[in-house]
Amino acid sequence: MNSKLKKINPDLHFRLLATLEEAPYLTQRALAKKLGISLGGVNYCLQALIQAGHIKINNFNKSPKKLIFFYFLTPKGIKEKSLLTADFLKRKMSEYHNLKKEIELIKSKIKV
């Protein structure tokens, strides 16, 4: 695994792969807005995912003056997304159960 990829939060890695799988045509600016991170952060993550072989980039001419980029998950990226999905669900379920216990404890103390 490359050093850039190690620095990416696993939740962000999952969300980025999932978003690109659904909408490979999104611009980096649109990805930044959708994921709630900076444009530079998106660029950094995309470069790491390209280097790791999780995504590939294709560009298409939409007009003579602009290039449109499409980000496609590679077979390696699809496999990684599956692993990240399972890990994401485990983490979120654990967070949910811990939060539920905390809420029940607080409710018992205030007798709601």
Side-chain angles (χ1 to χ4, degrees):
M1 184 181 299
N2 69 43
S3 62
K4 277 187 173 183
L5 195 57
K6 289 179 186 177
K7 294 178 183 177
I8 299 174
N9 175 293
D11 288 354
L12 176 58
H13 189 169
F14 163 71
R15 290 174 46 227
L16 186 53
L17 288 176
T19 301
L20 290 175
E21 186 174 46
E22 291 176 11
Y25 52 83
L26 288 177
T27 64
Q28 288 187 19
R29 192 170 306 283
L31 282 169
K33 186 174 181 180
K34 185 171 181 85
L35 298 173
I37 63 173
S38 70
L39 183 58
V42 166
N43 187 278
Y44 181 90
C45 291
L46 290 174
Q47 292 303 317
L49 294 178
I50 290 167
Q51 287 176 2
H54 294 177
I55 61 172
K56 65 180 180 175
I57 185 171
N58 287 331
N59 59 345
F60 300 94
N61 285 328
K62 187 174 182 176
S63 72
K65 295 180 182 179
K66 287 187 173 182
L67 289 177
I68 297 294
F69 293 98
F70 283 73
Y71 302 95
F72 295 102
L73 272 63
T74 63
K76 186 176 179 181
I78 292 168
K79 182 178 178 183
E80 184 67 18
K81 182 183 160 278
S82 295
L83 296 171
L84 288 167
T85 300
D87 290 342
F88 179 84
L89 286 172
K90 285 178 194 172
R91 277 192 311 279
K92 294 304 175 182
M93 289 302 293
S94 177
E95 289 174 17
Y96 167 77
H97 290 299
N98 290 336
L99 186 57
K100 190 174 177 181
K101 286 179 189 176
E102 186 177 356
I103 290 169
E104 292 304 319
L105 180 64
I106 292 170
K107 280 183 174 180
S108 72
K109 287 181 179 179
I110 62 172
K111 299 187 180 16
V112 171

